[in-house]
Amino acid sequence: ENFNFSDTSILHSSTVAKSIVNYLSLYVAENMSIAKQEAAFVTASDHLLSKAKKGDNEVYAFVLEYLLSSFSKLEADVVLEHIAQKYELSEGCNNAETARFVQDKLAHIKLFRIGNQLPNISLFDEKGGVSELTKKVEKNTLLIFWASWCEHCVEILPQIKVLYEAQGNAKKWEVIAISLDEDKAVWQQFIETGKYTWFNSCDFKSWEGESARKLHIHSTPAMYWLDNNRVVQKKSKNIEDIKKHISGF
């Protein structure tokens, strides 16, 4: 309650982060359900951000960034969506890196809310051809953002491939895999070695490519289910989540 959110000198120490962690820990209890825990974190976030917003813009931006990063790691989607809908970055934040992260993160959360229609983007295939997302999505399409240098991507792609190929010719769901690789040879070798026959796309511009910038992608792997109108149906966090989802097709 007595924390000074107007004191920018605290940004040069671990004071803010430690204080946030200590405060959030007050809202954690054993045997609390996920729904109740996320509701508690929503309350805690509102209290912190309402206080921080009245202080210095740099401190507010730091608190907002820290909460977004922390709840992303916890996969607390309810909390993230609440923050994205209620808070914005104040003008006057001079830390360009922090400002960009916060703006992209908030925009991504809003964009990929269930029921939202994604903007159309260009897709670049293995042969150099150009298509559009709107022409490639089908009723059940798993949209994956990945990279060959991403450890978790390298781990989960073969697992998705097993499920994908188990469908045989009568496929009930499709995959569009958009890579954030920059090296064409590395990308092509990876998909050829892995024998990934779904639609592969890469513009070799990494985070600065059209897909990453237009859809505010900031981490990999990122996996979302779309319908044939580019409308977000669900977010998948892991292979078990994918298995559960496709069992309903």
Side-chain angles (χ1 to χ4, degrees):
E1 293 295 329
N2 298 318
F3 195 86
N4 186 2
F5 289 99
S6 297
D7 183 7
T8 57
S9 67
I10 59 178
L11 295 174
H12 305 293
S13 70
S14 59
T15 302
V16 187
K18 287 181 178 179
S19 297
I20 292 174
V21 170
N22 289 336
Y23 182 73
L24 291 177
S25 68
L26 299 176
Y27 289 80
V28 178
E30 279 190 56
N31 303 319
M32 186 180 286
S33 68
I34 294 176
K36 288 184 177 180
Q37 182 62 80
E38 290 198 315
F41 280 148
V42 164
T43 300
S45 298
D46 278 343
H47 185 74
L48 278 173
L49 290 170
S50 62
K51 292 257 183 201
K53 201 170 185 179
K54 295 176 183 178
D56 182 82
N57 286 335
E58 296 289 337
V59 178
Y60 170 66
F62 179 89
V63 174
L64 190 52
E65 177 188 27
Y66 192 88
L67 290 177
L68 290 171
S69 296
S70 299
F71 290 127
S72 291
K73 292 176 183 177
L74 292 174
E75 298 184 338
D77 291 341
V78 171
V79 188
L80 291 171
E81 287 193 14
H82 175 81
I83 292 174
Q85 292 302 312
K86 191 171 181 179
Y87 300 96
E88 293 182 354
L89 188 66
S90 302
E91 293 184 6
C93 178
N94 296 318
N95 188 319
E97 185 176 347
T98 296
R100 176 169 176 174
F101 172 84
V102 171
Q103 289 168 344
D104 273 353
K105 184 67 176 178
L106 292 174
H108 176 85
I109 295 169
K110 293 176 183 178
L111 185 62
F112 281 91
R113 288 191 70 186
I114 293 175
N116 277 3
Q117 183 184 52
L118 297 186
N120 195 21
I121 56 173
S122 299
L123 299 174
F124 303 86
D125 65 30
E126 302 161 60
K127 298 180 180 179
V130 181
S131 185
E132 296 179 340
L133 180 62
T134 192
K135 295 179 180 179
K136 291 295 181 181
V137 287
E138 299 188 14
K139 183 179 179 180
N140 299 301
T141 298
L142 178 60
L143 181 65
I144 307 173
F145 296 93
W146 68 282
S148 64
W149 38 260
C150 165
E151 181 179 346
H152 294 302
C153 301
V154 173
E155 178 182 347
I156 199 170
L157 282 182
Q159 298 177 62
I160 296 174
K161 177 191 170 188
V162 172
L163 300 177
Y164 180 73
E165 293 182 341
Q167 300 179 91
N169 294 324
K171 290 184 172 54
K172 295 182 179 180
W173 56 282
E174 270 298 341
V175 174
I176 295 177
I178 300 178
S179 171
L180 298 183
D181 279 280
E182 292 183 283
D183 190 312
K184 184 176 182 179
V186 171
W187 173 66
Q188 288 185 323
Q189 182 177 10
F190 186 92
I191 58 179
E192 288 173 4
T193 301
K195 297 180 180 179
Y196 298 113
T197 58
W198 50 55
F199 187 86
N200 294 292
S201 174
C202 188
D203 60 12
F204 311 109
K205 296 179 181 179
S206 191
W207 306 106
E208 298 304 321
E210 178 189 350
S211 299
R213 297 300 300 146
K214 204 169 181 178
L215 300 181
H216 302 282
I217 302 301
H218 49 78
S219 63
T220 56
M223 304 179 291
Y224 297 91
W225 289 93
L226 310 180
D227 69 8
N228 53 351
N229 291 311
R230 308 193 311 276
V231 174
V232 180
Q233 302 296 303
K234 176 181 170 56
K235 174 183 179 180
S236 279
K237 301 176 181 179
N238 51 51
I239 195 65
E240 294 304 320
D241 196 23
I242 293 175
K243 287 180 180 178
K244 183 177 180 180
H245 187 63
I246 63 177
S247 67
F249 294 161

